[in-house]
Amino acid sequence: MTTWQRLRCAAAIGGVALLAACTPYTVAPTNDQQSAKELGQACCAALEVYPDPMVSIMEPKADESALLNKPQVLRRPYLKDKPEAWDYVMGYLRPLDILLVSDKSQISGYLIPGYFSHSLVYLGTETQLRQRGLWDLPALRQHHDRIRKGEVFFESTPPAVTFSPAEQVFDVDSVAVLRPDLDQSERDYALTTLVAQLGKPFDMRMDLSSQSCLFCAELINLAMPSLSLPQQQAYGRTLIVPDAIAVHAITPQTGLAVVGFVARGRSGVESLPIESMASTIKHHWPNS
């Protein structure tokens, strides 16, 4: 077992706090020669980082696990209380943009292999939704008040699918914004499908085969099937990991593009190029 795998196993049993708190997680140096093909070869192959006996023991109790369902804070997130960074990201978001976030400030940030650990969708403000002909969709009408109050994000996160405000979404280390290329009918379908999942339980098994509960990327895959998000096999199930979505967005002509990446750089929290995001992801898959 590699050092990185040992760290992940330690996180899974809750013994990693002191080690992780001392580990710097900054953005890797920019590599201008990094290509999507090279990144695809480096990323997202070695998903089975936990021993099978550990999975067998922990999985039946996942819904009740405090480690998975309650914050286990190791340090302060890099974007916490950085309204200038939030405003910067919010300034270029458009309805149905996909966000990928990384947060190694909590133990849960180590449980998903790779750099990004969560994905969610920006619904948009009332003004933005009106401009795109989405505000008056029948499925959205009953949720107008929530959006007006600032709950403009939508995600599947324990315990269930929910609306979320910016201050909750940006309480992380870094965020990437991906823009799907959808026509009007696809946007209507995506938004209608998303809000129809409100309250559906979070899928702790992260298994695409069942839609009775949904993990974060599964929600996006359900709402935007035209993106053909990449799927992997691990532990006898089919799943989608956030880093694979990032690689998909970097790859040309996939219907998904990277439009921004905000993370901790050499001078603090800043906007960084796509190459930095790519090399950072590759850094987190050293043995693939």
Side-chain angles (χ1 to χ4, degrees):
M1 184 184 295
T2 68
T3 300
W4 184 242
Q5 289 173 325
R6 291 192 184 97
L7 177 58
R8 291 192 178 282
C9 291
I13 59 176
V16 76
L18 292 178
L19 177 60
C22 299
T23 305
Y25 281 90
T26 57
V27 176
T30 298
N31 180 358
D32 293 331
Q33 302 302 314
Q34 178 70 54
S35 69
K37 181 178 180 181
E38 291 170 344
L39 181 59
Q41 292 171 342
C43 165
C44 316
L47 285 176
E48 297 187 355
V49 297
Y50 303 117
D52 288 340
M54 179 182 292
V55 174
S56 299
I57 292 172
M58 294 191 66
E59 190 171 63
K61 301 178 181 179
D63 290 337
E64 302 173 359
S65 171
L67 179 66
L68 299 176
N69 292 282
K70 295 181 180 179
Q72 307 291 327
V73 179
L74 304 173
R75 57 163 172 77
R76 190 179 186 84
Y78 297 144
L79 299 189
K80 187 176 182 64
D81 299 329
K82 297 257 185 334
E84 68 281 1
W86 305 358
D87 291 343
Y88 180 81
V89 176
M90 293 292 291
Y92 58 72
L93 283 175
R94 297 178 185 174
L96 298 174
D97 279 352
I98 297 169
L99 282 75
L100 303 178
V101 299
S102 177
D103 187 14
K104 306 299 185 184
S105 71
Q106 299 185 26
I107 289 178
S108 59
Y110 293 92
L111 302 182
I112 301 296
Y115 177 63
F116 291 111
S117 55
H118 184 51
S119 56
L120 63 152
V121 177
Y122 175 68
L123 296 180
T125 64
E126 178 179 353
T127 298
Q128 291 174 322
L129 290 165
R130 285 188 182 279
Q131 290 173 344
R132 288 161 178 78
L134 297 169
W135 181 251
D136 291 320
L137 281 177
L140 196 62
R141 288 173 186 164
Q142 62 181 310
H143 305 299
H144 283 177
D145 286 345
R146 302 188 74 157
I147 293 173
R148 285 171 173 149
K149 291 177 181 177
E151 296 183 26
V152 293
F153 295 91
F154 203 74
E155 59 183 331
S156 184
T157 186
V161 177
T162 185
F163 287 84
S164 297
E167 57 266 27
Q168 178 175 315
V169 168
F170 293 129
D171 192 13
V172 294
D173 285 342
S174 66
V175 56
V177 179
L178 317 180
R179 183 154 297 153
D181 183 11
L182 306 174
D183 61 28
Q184 187 62 44
S185 64
E186 289 171 329
R187 287 194 290 269
D188 291 353
Y189 177 85
L191 193 52
T192 299
T193 302
L194 283 170
V195 298
Q197 314 311 314
L198 182 64
K200 188 168 286 189
F202 182 81
D203 183 2
M204 290 292 185
R205 296 190 75 249
M206 298 193 177
D207 189 351
L208 283 172
S209 67
S210 172
Q211 295 180 1
S212 60
C213 50
L214 301 170
F215 62 92
C216 61
E218 185 178 14
L219 174 66
I220 297 170
N221 188 62
L222 184 66
M224 306 181 198
S226 65
L227 297 182
S228 300
L229 297 180
Q231 301 178 8
Q232 291 83 31
Q233 299 293 320
Y235 303 111
R237 72 205 69 180
T238 304
L239 68 160
I240 300 170
V241 295
D243 278 5
I245 300 176
V247 174
H248 195 61
I250 294 171
T251 305
Q253 299 180 335
T254 59
L256 191 62
V258 181
V259 296
F261 178 49
V262 174
R264 180 180 171 183
R266 299 180 187 279
S267 302
V269 174
E270 55 190 3
S271 177
L272 295 164
I274 295 175
E275 290 84 5
S276 283
M277 186 183 81
S279 58
T280 301
I281 292 172
K282 186 174 181 180
H283 175 74
H284 283 75
W285 295 88
N287 300 310
S288 292

